[in-house]
């Protein structure tokens, strides 16, 4: 904890973590908010899944592209424009009486305009702290990110069930605009300039650690999204149980991040953390089949266990990318990793939705278990491409030419 305390005393760190967390909070809300709202409007989880798939396609295209554009036009300009477009599209989904094809079109626009805040802040971090503090900073950030991916759906569930699904979506818009403006006001966005990359778009994915981090992140967040949809389906729309279980899931992740985030990152780090997620998720799925009537207690315990592996796994992914690419490529690399996570969130919810329609709530946990199992197998198979950062600096590789720094 002393390492985290020292980090938060570093000038600007606590502020920029808080600002980017607020701006990115909708990323953990919108998949579930869209799922609940469109299911309510159409009466079909399958239709909601189509809209989420369209949104994920937009995200897949935009993530690395808008991240790379920050090296051309600047971080503030790209983020401001994408916030305006995304907020407009998401508001339209909440307020307009659309057909499913129109929901899909507007969802795709929202995905295309998702602001590249995650790549921006990951690129800024190495310029704010010394090399000794960088790995703990990634751990702290990953723990904070769990508020996005796990607490975000809790907030969405409570608002959508207790007020309305429209306000579940509009709350995400409020966070997007308010948090985005706060992040844009950060002086670090003026002090740090991402140099224009000299490599072709997509070349960074040829680096095995970046591809490995992208795939594992996709599978990890896909498992989380399927769990969230499954929990809502188990307890229905009218009670508080779903929100409480998801909050416990979040507490497990935060506990894991703070307890294990400082552990040195070796070549087995990703696999070990993903195994914890798999064990907890598989136990939740098996318990739903065997323990009818005791779902609340069983899911609370098993999902707490699954949550313990989430934040430490994300911290490993961030560090392995940072240590494997040049500074001019960090934004695009994190764009690909972020795209993998966002697609995982959308497709995890979509797969869970279709399985809930056909086989009931347990279908969502089958999907989550499958995502988590593959998420464990991939880093085992890809161990030789996993960087060993024990005793090593996780800062990006230096570019061969000086990078100019603009005054704030």
């Amino acid at each position: 904890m002393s390492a985290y305390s020292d980090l938060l005393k570093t000038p600007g760190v606590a502020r920029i973590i808080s600002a980017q967390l607020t701006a990115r909070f909708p990323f953990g809300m919108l998949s579930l908010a869209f799922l609940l709202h469109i299911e309510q409007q159409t009466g079909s989880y399958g239709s909601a899944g189509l809209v989420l798939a369209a949104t994920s396609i937009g995200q897949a295209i935009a993530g690395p592209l808008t991240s790379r554009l920050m090296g051309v036009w600047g971080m503030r300009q790209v983020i401001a424009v994408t916030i305006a477009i995304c907020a407009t599209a998401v508001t339209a989904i909440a307020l307009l009486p659309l057909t499913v094809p129109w929901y899909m079109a507007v969802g795709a626009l929202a995905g295309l305009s998702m602001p590249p805040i995650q790549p921006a802040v990951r690129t800024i971090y190495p310029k704010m702290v010394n090399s000794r503090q960088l790995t703990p900073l990634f751990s702290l950030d990953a723990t904070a990110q769990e508020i996005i991916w796990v607490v975000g759906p809790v907030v969405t569930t409570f608002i959508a069930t207790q007020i309305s699904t429209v306000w579940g979506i509009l709350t995400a818009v409020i966070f997007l605009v308010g948090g985005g403006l706060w992040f844009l006001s950060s002086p670090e966005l003026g002090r740090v300039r991402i140099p224009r990359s000299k490599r072709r778009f997509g070349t960074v994915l040829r680096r095995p650690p970046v591809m490995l981090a992208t795939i594992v992140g996709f599978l990890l967040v896909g498992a989380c999204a399927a769990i969230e949809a499954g929990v809502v389906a188990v307890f229905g729309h009218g009670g508080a149980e779903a929100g409480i279980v998801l909050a416990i899931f979040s507490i497990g992740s935060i506990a894991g991040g703070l307890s294990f985030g400082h552990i040195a990152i070796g070549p087995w780090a990703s696999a070990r953390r993903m195994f914890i997620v798999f064990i907890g998720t598989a136990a939740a799925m098996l318990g739903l089949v065997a323990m009818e009537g005791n779902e609340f207690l069983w899911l609370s315990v098993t999902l707490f266990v699954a949550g313990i592996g989430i934040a430490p796994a994300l911290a490993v992914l961030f560090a392995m990318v940072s240590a494997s690419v040049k500074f001019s490529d960090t934004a695009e690399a994190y764009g690909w990793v972020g795209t993998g996570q966002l697609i995982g969130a959308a497709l995890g919810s979509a797969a869970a939705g279709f399985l809930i329609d056909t086989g009931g709530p347990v279908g969502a946990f089958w999907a989550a278990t499958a995502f988590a199992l593959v998420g464990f197998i991939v880093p085992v198979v890809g161990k030789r491409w996993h960087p060993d950062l024990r005793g090593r600096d996780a800062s990006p590789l230096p570019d061969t030419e000086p990078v100019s720094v603009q005054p704030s």
Side-chain angles (χ1 to χ4, degrees):
M1 295 302 296
S2 62
Y4 300 133
S5 176
D6 291 342
L7 271 175
L8 294 176
K9 293 176 183 177
T10 302
V13 169
R15 172 179 39 77
I16 202 164
I17 287 178
S18 301
Q20 63 92 14
L21 186 68
T22 305
R24 292 170 54 217
F25 200 66
F27 294 4
M29 300 177 68
L30 287 175
S31 289
L32 188 55
F34 284 178
L35 183 75
L36 293 171
H37 179 70
I38 295 167
E39 187 277 332
Q40 186 178 86
Q41 298 300 310
T42 65
S44 169
Y45 279 104
S47 295
L50 291 174
V51 177
L52 292 174
T55 304
S56 72
I57 292 172
Q59 293 169 332
I61 296 170
L65 179 61
T66 53
S67 299
R68 189 178 176 96
L69 286 175
M70 289 192 294
V72 180
W73 296 339
M75 286 187 278
R76 280 201 173 107
Q77 291 84 342
V78 173
I79 292 172
V81 170
T82 52
I83 285 174
I85 297 172
C86 186
T88 301
V90 173
T91 301
I93 289 178
L95 299 180
L96 299 182
L98 304 174
T99 61
V100 172
W102 276 108
Y103 274 129
M104 292 175 65
V106 179
L109 178 61
L112 282 167
S113 56
M114 283 290 179
I117 293 171
Q118 183 187 59
V121 76
R122 298 283 190 282
T123 302
I124 290 170
Y125 280 159
K127 303 300 181 181
M128 296 183 67
V129 298
N130 59 47
S131 59
R132 178 182 57 84
Q133 293 176 307
L134 187 55
T135 296
L137 178 55
F138 282 132
S139 298
L140 181 62
D141 183 86
T143 302
Q145 180 169 284
E146 287 315 297
I147 299 174
I148 298 171
W149 293 115
V150 188
V151 177
V154 175
V155 174
T156 301
T157 301
F158 274 115
I159 294 174
T161 58
Q162 303 304 314
I163 303 177
S164 73
T165 57
V166 169
W167 273 105
I169 296 175
L170 292 180
T171 301
V173 175
I174 293 170
F175 275 107
L176 176 64
V177 175
L181 292 175
W182 185 14
F183 182 71
L184 287 171
S185 70
S186 301
E188 288 79 10
L189 269 73
R191 295 186 188 132
V192 178
R193 184 183 67 82
I194 303 173
R196 188 191 296 256
S197 176
K198 298 183 182 300
R199 283 159 284 279
R200 288 186 300 174
F201 179 70
T203 301
V204 70
L205 273 178
R206 295 180 182 176
R207 299 194 69 86
V210 177
M211 178 61 76
L212 185 61
T214 302
I215 295 172
V216 175
F218 160 78
L219 294 165
L220 172 60
V221 177
C224 292
I227 288 171
E228 290 153 10
V231 169
V232 171
V234 167
F235 297 107
H237 290 239
E241 293 93 341
I244 295 171
V245 170
L246 290 175
I248 292 170
F249 187 31
S250 170
I251 292 169
S253 181
I254 292 171
L258 294 177
S259 300
F260 306 122
H262 65 284
I263 296 176
I265 296 173
W268 289 103
S270 296
R272 288 171 178 162
R273 289 154 175 77
M274 287 302 303
F275 185 70
I276 296 173
V277 179
F278 166 67
I279 288 296
T281 305
M285 181 266 295
L286 294 173
L288 278 182
V289 176
M291 300 185 65
E292 185 174 354
N294 296 298
E295 293 90 350
F296 179 81
L297 178 60
W298 184 253
L299 288 177
S300 297
V301 173
T302 54
L303 293 184
F304 178 84
V305 173
I308 290 173
I310 294 172
L314 289 169
V316 171
L317 302 184
F318 302 151
M320 62 191 286
V321 170
S322 176
S324 303
V325 300
K326 292 185 176 180
F327 179 65
S328 58
D329 290 324
T330 52
E332 184 186 342
Y334 283 123
W336 286 109
V337 175
T339 289
Q341 293 176 6
L342 291 167
I343 294 174
L347 296 187
S349 294
F354 279 108
L355 291 173
I356 290 168
D357 278 347
T358 58
V362 72
F365 287 90
W366 278 105
T369 302
F371 271 102
L373 176 60
V374 179
F376 163 66
I377 293 172
V378 167
V380 170
V381 175
K383 172 180 170 290
R384 61 176 174 163
W385 298 309
H386 195 297
D388 187 349
L389 301 180
R390 291 172 294 187
R392 278 185 53 195
D393 182 2
S395 298
L397 304 174
D399 287 278
T400 55
E401 60 182 88
V403 177
S404 64
V405 179
Q406 300 175 351
S408 59

